[in-house]
Amino acid sequence: MKSKKVAIVGASGYSGEELVKRILNHPHVELVAVTSRQNAGQTLAQVFPKFASHPRSKALRFSEPNVELLAKQADVVFLALPHGVAAEYAVPLLKAGCTVIDLSADFRLKSAEVYKEFYAHEHPAPELLAQSVYGLPEIHREAIKTASLIASPGCYPTSILLPAIPLIKAGLVKPTGIIADSLSGVTGAGRKAETDYLFCECNESVRAYGVPKHRHLSEIEEQLSLAAGAPVIIQFTPHLIPVNRGILTTLYLTPADPF
């Protein structure tokens, strides 16, 4: 299999760091570029000492994000950027012939109106929503294989959709009355300094947030509706818990047939 050349835009965040780890150790992928305005000029080993033993870590340096240069270097470009910003890079990269895998929420939804409702601003590239593929391989594997724009699912949605969609499609549970209680680690909020995520604010504490309309609810309900063939509304309560990373979701579903 021919090796794919891959670039990561916004590689210094938690998502970017995880991507770097996985790509460096992938047998069919070559990491050719990592970007970060804050860390431009520094090597991977300097920014992420944990990768210092990898032969590429001292040769590969972070650079400023330059779309034209990235398009020449890479076949596939990951966008580990905030929503709203990612689309600004996706548009020219797609025009240049790159495959784009977006980790933000910019292309997860099919409706620009729903996007505006949940993210409080106009969609930056609504013309691309129709061609984007929701990147949950367990559900959309065949479509992902030929897609040029892949929207990586959100963290909470992944934990809910993976168990719920097969059950709904098989007719084993009712698509009504679904309750999802989710617990998430602090890194889910990204690598940023905000009071809510300081150690003393999070430690020995569990708190619900984003109720009743967490942003991820939009893609959860959209994907469940597609699986059910009818509109699905769920009760979703996310909680922040004092761990570094990870998600635990408990689903309450009603069997289609009584016991």
Side-chain angles (χ1 to χ4, degrees), residues 92-232:
L93 286 168
L94 287 166
K95 288 181 179 177
C98 294
T99 296
V100 173
I101 303 177
D102 178 26
L103 274 63
S104 84
D106 278 351
F107 300 104
R108 295 174 186 167
L109 298 168
K110 290 301 182 185
S111 168
E113 290 73 22
V114 173
Y115 178 92
K116 182 180 179 180
E117 177 186 352
F118 279 82
Y119 291 90
H121 62 84
E122 298 287 345
H123 195 284
E127 69 281 2
L128 293 178
L129 295 179
Q131 78 177 72
S132 68
V133 172
Y134 195 72
L136 201 60
E138 293 84 353
I139 308 299
H140 302 297
R141 184 174 301 274
E142 293 306 312
I144 290 171
K145 288 179 181 180
T146 58
S148 58
L149 176 58
I150 300 166
S152 183
C155 49
Y156 286 125
T158 298
S159 71
I160 293 168
L161 298 174
L162 283 180
I165 286 179
L167 294 172
I168 290 173
K169 284 187 172 181
L172 297 175
V173 300
K174 295 180 180 179
T176 56
I178 297 173
I179 299 172
D181 285 332
S182 296
L183 310 173
S184 174
V186 183
T187 55
R191 180 175 274 148
K192 57 188 175 185
E194 288 187 7
T195 302
D196 285 349
Y197 309 117
L198 296 175
F199 177 83
C200 290
E201 302 295 327
C202 299
N203 188 45
E204 300 180 3
S205 172
V206 176
R207 61 181 171 86
Y209 69 101
V211 179
K213 203 171 181 179
H214 188 281
R215 287 169 171 172
H216 285 177
L217 181 62
S218 56
E219 63 182 278
I220 295 168
E221 291 185 340
E222 181 176 275
Q223 290 298 315
L224 291 178
S225 297
L226 290 171
V232 173

Side-chain angles (χ1 to χ4, degrees), residues 48-106:
F48 299 129
K50 65 174 70 175
F51 303 137
S53 61
H54 195 281
R56 292 279 291 151
S57 68
K58 295 179 178 62
L60 191 59
R61 292 182 179 273
F62 282 86
S63 62
E64 295 275 350
N66 182 303
V67 169
E68 292 184 4
L69 182 58
L70 289 169
K72 292 177 181 177
Q73 293 175 305
D75 306 306
V76 179
V77 180
F78 285 87
L79 302 178
L81 297 168
H83 63 268
V85 179
E88 297 176 6
Y89 287 87
V91 173
L93 286 168
L94 287 166
K95 288 181 179 177
C98 294
T99 296
V100 173
I101 303 177
D102 178 26
L103 274 63
S104 84
D106 278 351

